[in-house]
């Protein structure tokens, strides 16, 4: 682990605290504020603008946000007055069934991905080259975000959709064969694009990447960089993707993100750290904490497992202390990011149940 | 990974004979003191799938080796398996004694039972000619060298149905590995998923066969999770699958997969000899308790038209003499539970069955009231248990557990076939020609022993749950003009 000076950690902390004050002032003031938060302050009987002066205060004073509200609240409740009158985009969370969680927004996704673009290597993701996204498009933020990212880099992007809700339904109703056929259908479409068009960069999920790599040599298909996200990636799977699916010849950029957060970047050089990937939230716009499963106000120690908690802090969207359904290891700040990271993210429930195989 | 794990043997994934260290490892602990005794590299499902796409590359050298040579190398492998130091992984060597001690520590089997199972596997290697004669019904195994030849004057042509034999293996008893060994002699490479607690035997057999001169690429070992196991079954043209009733049901009907589910083996006492039931005590005892009652060929039910009570009492008295002994005691007859939770789960299920009424634990009284669960040192055992069931509808009347357990049920002879359900082995104590005919034509029985032969007795010229030769090679029609 490359050391990072205490000065930089403190500076990042100070910047976060200042950002918290700015965001709180924005969402809780009558002029620019958001109905949800104005109502909250009224009911709570205290003024966050007075009492939340730092990120630590925010953790202390706000409880875990109930994500169910994102399914039921009228969108109007979530429009900051500062944005009144501007049409918004509605984004939905990943593979949920039933009424999805929704987040409305304006420019956040563009800002997040423009920032992210700075971290991409031009060799693996050549500006002006073509992109292909194979994965959940539909109502997801990711779809517009990837196109914006490509455009921002002077590129255009092809899309092949994968509907994860349908896959979930097929699997939960025991139609595994149908699910396989559907995946095959998705892969076939991607293969046709790759066969007939020149594609330089790919965004996809680990599983689809594996399925594509089973059919063709990805470097031979001309792909120079793969940007991957959507599901958990344990070190062995990452190594397998890098060494065997990408044949050690293609840039690999794993990310962790969702509609509510944006996207977290990985720390470079994971190949030298046994492929354990550490992600760092786009602080101060979002903060990830690895919390004690018993008491999410407490953090676990560095290197320990805990439950991931997200706080989103933008002028468009304030979401305090939302508990994700993910478990991760808490990792210390590093040279590139002067705040805590999360590593080896996996579904939270999986952490609890140890599956015991049958007797035989 | 913990510091302790670096000092213990590491099982790599074997990818067509090449060692591969995974970043995902599982630690295997001794059931006696919880100490880590091995770490096992886990293959991710994608890796299994990727390797299965290259299977064609692994068959060539094995098939180029003539049958006679393969049989000879198997014989050599038997000696190596029993005697030599063999690598596990990363250059760490294992002696035969190490193997016994290590497998005992993770499986709960006493040393004497590990050695007996070791002999079983070695026998299959050494006597491959006998095994193949049984599987191929006396046909010259050399026919497979050309693919075609002659069998009793009939021209035959066989082609391999699989580029590899996949197997999802159990952890219960190492003797089970004797089942896949002939695959190599039959010219079909292996892709094995060892049982979670039993990486020892597949690795040692594979290493012994490689040391005997078989091409390394014919051996792939993939310790993996459920998804990886599913991938293996999906990608192999032919597979053996060991599992419980739930697993067996999931894959039932897939002709590419030979399922080894619960055995539910039985001893049936015919009406003609029922009054002489006492003469067959050794048959009952061996059927129920040999190999610690761990095998699918151990009897889990005894049906008799009358004298059920007396038989149950007498059997209980015999089995009650079997007590847990230290793992290195040559007289040990039962195995410890590698996972004590399974012992509690099974014992609890038996008690729950008894509480429903209509069944009682006869062994309890025979033991003078001592409990079914026993502890010796840090190991947990279940003492042999005989349950007398009032009717064959009772849930305990047709259930198998991984220790010496049987039900004794009075069933009229004419109803036995109707109620017994699929039974891997049936030992039929009867001379009644009509009953024997009904048994021999029944589709429910995989192996029929006629007369006082325990269910646990294995004759090696007979197939076990399907015929591996027919599973791996398909006979096709060939008509040749003279001189062509």
């Amino acid at each position: 682990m490359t050391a990072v000076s205490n000065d930089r950690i403190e500076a990042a902390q100070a910047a976060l605290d200042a950002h918290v004050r700015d965001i709180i002032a924005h969402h809780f003031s009558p002029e620019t504020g958001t109905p949800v938060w104005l109502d909250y302050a009224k009911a709570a009987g205290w003024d966050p603008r007075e009492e939340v002066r730092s990120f630590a205060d925010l953790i202390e004073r706000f409880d875990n946000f109930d994500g169910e509200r994102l399914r039921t609240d009228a969108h109007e409740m979530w429009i900051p007055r500062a944005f009144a009158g501007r049409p918004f985009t509605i984004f939905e969370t990943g593979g949920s069934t039933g009424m999805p969680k929704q987040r409305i927004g304006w420019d956040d996704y563009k800002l997040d991905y423009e920032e992210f673009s700075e971290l991409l290597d031009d060799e693996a993701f050549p500006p002006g080259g073509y992109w292909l996204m194979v994965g959940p498009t539909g109502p997801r933020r990711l779809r517009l975000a990837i196109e914006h990212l490509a455009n921002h880099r002077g590129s255009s992007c092809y899309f092949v959709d994968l509907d994860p809700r349908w896959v979930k339904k097929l699997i939960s109703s025991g139609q595994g064969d149908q699910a396989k056929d559907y995946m095959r259908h998705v892969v076939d479409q991607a293969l046709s694009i790759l066969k007939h068009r020149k594609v330089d960069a790919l965004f996809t999920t680990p599983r689809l990447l594996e399925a594509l790599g089973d059919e063709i040599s990805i470097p031979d298909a001309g792909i120079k960089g793969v940007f991957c996200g959507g599901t958990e990636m344990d070190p062995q799977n990452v190594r397998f993707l890098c060494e065997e699916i990408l044949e050690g010849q293609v840039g690999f950029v794993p990310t962790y993100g969702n509609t509510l957060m944006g996207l977290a970047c990985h720390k470079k050089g994971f190949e030298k750290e046994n492929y354990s990937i550490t992600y760092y939230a786009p602080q101060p716009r979002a903060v990830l904490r690895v919390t004690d499963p018993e008491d999410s106000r407490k953090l676990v120690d560095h290197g320990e497992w805990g439950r991931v908690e997200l706080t989103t802090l933008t002028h468009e969207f304030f979401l305090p202390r939302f508990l994700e359904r993910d478990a991760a290891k808490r990792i210390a700040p590093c040279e590139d990011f002067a705040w805590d990271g999360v590593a080896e993210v996996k579904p939270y429930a999986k952490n609890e149940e140890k599956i015991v195989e049958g007797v035989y | 990974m913990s510091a302790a794990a670096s000092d213990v043997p590491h099982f790599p994934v074997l990818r067509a004979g090449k060692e591969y260290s995974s970043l995902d490892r599982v630690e295997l602990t001794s059931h006696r003191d919880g100490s880590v005794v091995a770490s096992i590299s886990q293959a991710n499902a994608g890796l299994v799938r990727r390797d299965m796409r290259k299977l064609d590359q692994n068959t060539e050298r094995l098939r180029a080796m003539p049958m006679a040579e393969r049989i000879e190398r198997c014989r050599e492998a038997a000696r190596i398996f029993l005697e030599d130091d063999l690598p596990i992984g990363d250059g760490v060597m294992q002696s035969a004694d190490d193997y016994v001690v290590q497998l005992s520590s993770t499986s709960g089997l006493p040393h004497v039972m590990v050695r007996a199972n070791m002999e079983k596997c070695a026998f299959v290697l050494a006597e491959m000619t006998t095994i193949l004669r049984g599987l191929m019904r006396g046909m010259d195994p050399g026919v497979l060298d050309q693919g075609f030849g002659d069998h009793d004057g009939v021209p035959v042509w066989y082609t391999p149905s699989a580029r590899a034999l996949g197997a999802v293996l159990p952890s219960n008893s190492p003797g089970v590995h004797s089942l896949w060994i002939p695959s190599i002699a039959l010219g079909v490479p292996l892709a094995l998923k060892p049982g979670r607690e039993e990486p020892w035997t597949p690795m040692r057999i594979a290493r012994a066969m490689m040391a005997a001169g078989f091409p390394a690429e014919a051996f792939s070992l993939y310790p993996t999770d459920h998804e990886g196991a599913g991938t293996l079954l999906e990608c192999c043209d032919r597979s053996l699958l060991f599992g419980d009733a739930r697993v067996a049901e999931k894959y039932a009907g897939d002709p590419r997969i030979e399922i080894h589910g619960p055995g539910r083996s039985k001893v049936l006492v015919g009406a003609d000899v029922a009054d002489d039931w006492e003469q067959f005590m050794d048959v009952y005892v061996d059927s129920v308790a040999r190999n610690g009652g761990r095998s699918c060929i151990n009897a889990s039910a005894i049906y008799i038209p009358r004298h059920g009570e007396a038989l149950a009492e007498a059997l209980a008295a015999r089995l009650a003499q079997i007590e847990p002994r230290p793992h290195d005691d040559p007289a040990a007859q039962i195995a410890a539970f590698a996972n004590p939770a399974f012992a509690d789960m099974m014992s609890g299920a038996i008690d729950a069955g008894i509480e429903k009424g209509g069944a009682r634990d006869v062994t309890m009284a025979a033991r003078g009231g001592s409990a079914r669960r026993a502890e010796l040192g840090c190991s947990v055992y279940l003492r042999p248990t005989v349950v007398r069931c009032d009717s064959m509808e009772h849930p305990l009347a047709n259930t198998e557990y991984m220790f010496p357990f049987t039900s004794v049920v009075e069933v009229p002879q004419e109803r036995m076939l109707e109620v017994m359900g699929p039974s891997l082995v049936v030992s039929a104590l009867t001379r009644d020609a009509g009953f024997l005919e009904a048994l021999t034509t029944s589709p429910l029985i995989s192996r029929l022993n006629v007369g006082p032969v325990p269910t646990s007795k294995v004759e090696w010229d007979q197939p076990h749950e399907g015929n591996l030769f027919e599973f791996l090679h398909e006979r096709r029609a060939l008509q040749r003009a003279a001189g062509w």
Side-chain angles (χ1 to χ4, degrees):
Chain A
M1 198 81 41
T2 326
V4 51
S5 70
N6 273 336
D7 289 354
R8 284 189 48 213
I9 295 175
E10 279 165 22
Q13 190 59 50
L16 175 61
D17 290 341
H19 185 73
V20 165
R21 290 190 292 273
D22 174 37
I23 294 300
I24 294 279
H26 176 85
H27 285 281
F28 288 89
S29 80
E31 298 77 35
T32 55
T34 310
V36 160
W37 296 114
L38 294 170
D39 289 356
Y40 172 92
K42 210 184 286 168
W46 57 280
D47 187 349
R49 289 175 298 174
E50 300 291 321
E51 300 189 33
V52 175
R53 309 300 297 162
S54 66
F55 187 69
D57 290 344
L58 183 154
I59 298 301
E60 182 61 35
R61 297 306 305 265
F62 284 94
D63 290 332
N64 289 130
F65 185 80
D66 172 15
E68 291 306 303
R69 292 197 57 180
L70 298 172
R71 301 187 210 272
T72 51
D73 283 354
H75 295 315
E76 288 66 28
M77 294 285 290
W78 286 89
I79 303 173
R81 288 181 184 160
F83 289 81
R86 276 186 67 188
F88 49 83
T89 43
I90 305 165
F91 294 122
E92 296 184 355
T93 52
S96 41
T97 46
M99 182 61 194
K101 291 195 188 91
Q102 293 170 327
R103 169 188 179 177
I104 61 167
W106 291 265
D107 302 320
D108 269 352
Y109 75 91
K110 295 180 191 163
L111 292 172
D112 285 344
Y113 280 73
E114 283 166 22
E115 200 173 280
F116 174 72
S117 178
E118 301 302 312
L119 302 168
L120 288 180
D121 174 6
D122 284 354
E123 220 166 280
F125 300 90
Y130 283 92
W131 284 57
L132 167 64
M133 172 178 177
V134 190
T137 64
R140 270 152 225 101
R141 186 179 128 113
L142 193 58
R143 189 251 179 263
L144 285 186
I146 296 291
E147 186 151 43
H148 184 74
L149 174 63
N151 293 165
H152 183 72
R153 299 177 68 79
S155 298
S156 295
C157 187
Y158 303 98
F159 289 89
V160 173
D161 180 46
L162 169 100
D163 179 358
R165 298 176 189 170
W166 180 235
V167 175
K168 246 188 190 178
K169 235 177 205 178
L170 287 172
I171 289 171
S172 64
S173 62
Q175 302 181 76
D177 287 349
Q178 284 275 333
K180 269 182 210 146
D181 285 353
Y182 177 63
M183 294 296 273
R184 178 78 235 175
H185 167 64
V186 172
V187 168
D188 283 347
Q189 294 174 76
L191 291 172
S192 327
I193 300 271
L194 291 173
K195 191 175 162 197
H196 297 286
R197 300 289 182 197
K198 182 181 174 307
V199 174
D200 302 277
L202 187 64
F203 173 88
T204 191
T205 66
R207 258 189 207 238
L208 285 166
L209 179 59
E210 216 176 277
L212 277 171
D214 278 344
E215 300 299 324
I216 53 164
S217 161
I218 290 179
D220 288 357
I223 290 171
K224 298 173 189 71
V226 172
F227 167 31
C228 207
T231 48
E232 74 210 89
M233 279 178 269
D234 70 35
Q236 172 59 24
N237 272 295
V238 174
R239 172 197 178 194
F240 171 72
L241 290 175
C242 290
E243 288 181 351
E244 305 198 26
I245 298 290
L246 302 179
E247 303 169 39
Q249 300 174 40
V250 178
F252 185 67
V253 177
T255 55
Y256 170 58
N258 56 42
T259 294
L260 303 181
M261 170 174 67
L263 86 171
C265 303
H266 73 273
K267 183 184 152 199
K268 292 201 168 139
F270 57 84
E271 303 87 348
K272 291 178 211 86
E273 287 176 11
N274 275 330
Y275 293 89
S276 172
I277 301 176
T278 303
Y279 299 107
Y280 288 87
Q283 229 170 274
R285 295 163 58 73
V287 182
L288 290 175
R289 298 168 71 236
V290 182
T291 64
D292 182 339
E294 301 299 319
D295 176 2
S296 64
R297 281 208 164 81
K298 288 186 196 145
L299 294 171
V300 298
D301 290 337
H302 286 127
E304 298 295 320
W305 288 90
R307 184 167 180 181
V308 177
E309 184 202 84
L310 164 71
T311 295
T312 304
L313 296 160
T314 74
H315 288 110
E316 295 179 10
F317 190 49
F318 172 57
L319 179 81
R321 305 193 58 228
F322 174 72
L323 283 174
E324 297 278 7
R325 285 199 198 132
D326 292 324
K329 265 186 202 168
R330 181 183 171 205
I331 303 295
C334 67
E335 205 186 332
D336 290 341
F337 305 95
W339 50 88
D340 276 355
V342 302
E344 294 177 39
V345 179
K346 60 183 180 184
Y348 178 65
K350 243 193 207 173
N351 214 21
E352 292 180 321
E353 59 185 42
K354 288 263 178 241
I355 297 161
V356 180
E357 273 196 32
V359 177
Y360 283 109
Chain B
M1 239 183 0
S2 72
S6 58
D7 305 328
V8 299
H10 164 240
F11 282 87
V13 177
L14 273 193
R15 307 177 68 180
K18 289 199 188 71
E19 289 187 19
Y20 177 90
S21 293
S22 169
L23 295 174
D24 180 12
R25 296 189 184 188
V26 165
E27 288 178 351
L28 196 54
T29 54
S30 161
H31 73 279
R32 288 195 275 275
D33 57 12
S35 62
V36 176
V37 289
S39 81
I40 307 170
S41 266
Q42 302 292 301
N44 51 297
L47 181 147
V48 175
R49 185 175 298 110
R50 200 151 181 91
D51 283 2
M52 294 299 105
R53 291 184 164 257
K54 300 182 228 159
L55 282 178
D56 286 326
Q57 301 167 16
N58 306 335
T59 58
E60 203 175 314
R61 283 212 299 156
L62 178 63
R63 287 194 184 147
M65 190 184 278
M67 176 58 87
E69 186 184 339
R70 294 208 292 260
I71 290 173
E72 209 34 55
R73 289 189 193 275
C74 280
R75 182 178 296 282
E76 174 63 4
R79 189 199 59 72
I80 295 172
F81 174 71
L82 288 176
E83 296 172 6
D84 285 6
D85 289 0
L86 288 167
I88 291 179
D90 305 339
V92 171
M93 301 299 282
Q94 177 197 56
S95 70
D97 287 340
D98 293 339
Y99 164 76
V100 172
V101 170
Q102 287 162 336
L103 176 53
S104 170
S105 78
T106 60
S107 67
L109 290 167
H111 293 184
V112 61
M113 251 179 242
V114 175
R115 286 187 199 281
N117 280 289
M118 206 176 171
E119 291 293 340
K120 239 186 232 183
C121 295
F123 179 89
V124 169
L125 282 166
E127 301 301 325
M128 193 53 75
T129 308
T130 309
I131 304 292
L132 294 184
R133 191 187 301 135
L135 293 173
M136 301 170 78
R137 301 185 199 139
M139 182 168 72
D140 172 9
V143 162
L144 295 186
D145 287 339
Q146 302 299 323
F148 43 84
D150 174 281
H151 184 203
D152 280 348
V154 179
V156 287
W157 175 34
Y158 282 94
T159 55
S161 322
R163 295 164 301 156
L165 174 68
V168 175
L169 296 166
S171 299
N172 61 327
S173 174
V176 74
H177 301 292
S178 57
L179 292 177
W180 50 258
I181 291 172
S183 184
I184 294 291
L186 290 165
V188 179
L190 293 162
L192 310 174
K193 179 213 172 281
R196 209 187 156 284
E197 281 122 28
E198 226 282 60
W200 308 103
T201 311
M203 183 62 89
R204 189 166 174 85
I205 295 173
R207 294 294 196 189
M209 294 184 89
M210 286 187 231
F214 283 106
E217 67 268 21
F219 301 88
S220 291
L221 264 60
Y222 300 105
T224 183
D225 56 12
H226 277 94
E227 190 194 353
T231 303
L232 191 70
L233 294 173
E234 185 187 310
C235 298
C236 285
D237 307 312
R238 292 287 182 272
S239 299
L240 309 178
L241 168 62
F242 293 82
D244 57 22
R246 201 170 38 87
V247 171
E249 194 180 340
K250 185 175 171 199
Y251 288 96
D254 187 335
R256 302 174 311 131
I257 300 175
E258 186 176 283
I259 297 165
H260 297 247
R264 297 192 179 135
S265 298
K266 293 177 181 71
V267 177
L268 307 184
V269 186
D272 56 329
V273 301
D275 294 338
D276 304 323
W277 63 269
E278 273 174 296
Q279 289 178 19
F280 310 114
M281 286 310 297
D282 290 345
V283 176
Y284 316 135
V285 170
D286 264 9
S287 294
V288 174
R290 196 184 280 181
N291 199 33
R294 282 232 182 178
S295 312
C296 46
I297 55 175
N298 284 113
S300 51
I302 300 173
Y303 289 178
I304 187 165
R306 52 191 180 273
H307 308 299
E309 200 66 26
L311 191 159
E313 301 278 355
L315 181 58
R318 283 281 299 271
L319 293 179
Q321 292 164 19
I322 300 176
E323 277 287 310
R325 288 169 180 272
H327 54 89
D328 52 359
D329 185 333
Q333 283 180 274
I334 50 174
F337 277 83
N339 182 350
F342 283 141
D344 294 332
M345 200 178 75
M346 287 178 198
S347 193
I350 294 166
D351 289 338
I354 288 169
E355 273 169 32
K356 280 189 188 127
R360 68 190 174 87
D361 181 347
V362 191
T363 13
M364 199 69 89
R367 278 197 303 264
S370 59
R372 188 179 303 128
R373 187 186 199 274
E375 283 179 34
L376 184 68
C378 297
S379 303
V380 172
Y381 297 79
L382 290 182
R383 293 189 169 102
T385 296
V386 177
V387 170
R388 172 84 176 91
C389 293
D390 291 345
S391 87
M392 56 261 178
E393 279 81 30
H394 195 280
L396 291 177
N398 199 10
T399 304
E400 76 175 16
Y401 293 109
M402 212 176 70
F403 75 106
F405 169 88
T406 190
S407 59
V408 176
V409 197
E410 280 186 7
V411 183
Q413 179 179 297
E414 62 277 14
R415 292 208 61 207
M416 285 181 184
L417 266 173
E418 176 191 324
V419 299
M420 74 174 192
S423 305
L424 179 59
V425 186
V426 164
S427 286
L429 295 164
T430 183
R431 289 190 180 83
D432 178 338
F435 188 32
L436 280 173
E437 195 195 333
L439 290 169
T440 50
T441 53
S442 168
L444 298 169
I445 302 169
S446 301
R447 180 199 300 259
L448 178 65
N449 298 334
V450 180
V453 181
T455 57
S456 49
K457 162 96 176 153
V458 175
E459 292 290 352
W460 291 104
D461 60 358
Q462 295 301 307
H464 176 90
E465 276 193 87
N467 180 322
L468 192 65
F469 165 63
E470 288 166 4
F471 192 51
L472 294 176
H473 293 271
E474 192 186 347
R475 186 173 170 206
R476 300 181 187 220
L478 178 67
Q479 306 182 127
R480 261 192 170 170
W484 287 76

